Amino acid sequence: MENKLMELSQLLVSKGYSLSSVESLTGGLFSQTMTSISGASKFFKGALVTYMSEEKHRILGISYEDIDQFGVVSQEIAMQMCSHGQQLMASDFCISFTGNAGPDAMENKPVGLVYIGVSCFTKTMVGCYHFQGNRNEIRQQCVDMGISILIDQIKNFY
């Protein structure tokens, strides 16, 4: 994964794009990974860790009605997390992570169900993933998948 991390860094720097993140189940692991790269300040603007629903509402402006209707482990909330985060951080790309890392089902959704969203410029996409393993393995798989998604988005669309 180190090679992919360096590839992402080089792509962002070479194209002059900025990146931010809004994290829930990853709890800042994505931003920790990004800031482990020497020179990350050239592209990484920062992160918001909105672990509790109250913070998703207070910081990101996601309505309690949407949280109640869809649950925090949902495509709809992942989409709002990255699009609102992109606006708040004024970044070219914003990635969001929401899901269930376990150990128990939540919102009647299984352990390992994850939604990763990416807002880039004027479009937003969300993918649904099912990861296996313990809590930290699921969180790491989220970060690894997020890096791969960002590389693909930058290469294929911009």
Side-chain angles (χ1 to χ4, degrees), residues 36-99:
S36 72
I37 302 169
S38 178
S41 61
K42 293 177 183 159
F43 63 87
F44 190 67
K45 289 190 124 184
L48 300 168
V49 178
T50 56
Y51 202 72
M52 296 177 72
S53 296
E54 292 84 4
E55 298 311 303
K56 288 174 182 65
H57 173 74
R58 188 177 68 80
I59 295 171
L60 298 173
I62 297 173
S63 73
Y64 284 121
E65 291 81 12
D66 284 352
I67 291 170
D68 290 342
Q69 179 178 357
F70 303 111
V72 294
V73 180
S74 66
Q75 175 180 338
E76 293 81 4
I77 298 303
M79 183 173 289
Q80 290 185 53
M81 287 171 67
C82 61
S83 63
H84 294 191
Q86 182 188 25
Q87 292 170 5
L88 287 168
M89 301 292 285
S91 58
D92 297 315
F93 287 80
C94 183
I95 189 165
S96 66
F97 301 90
T98 189

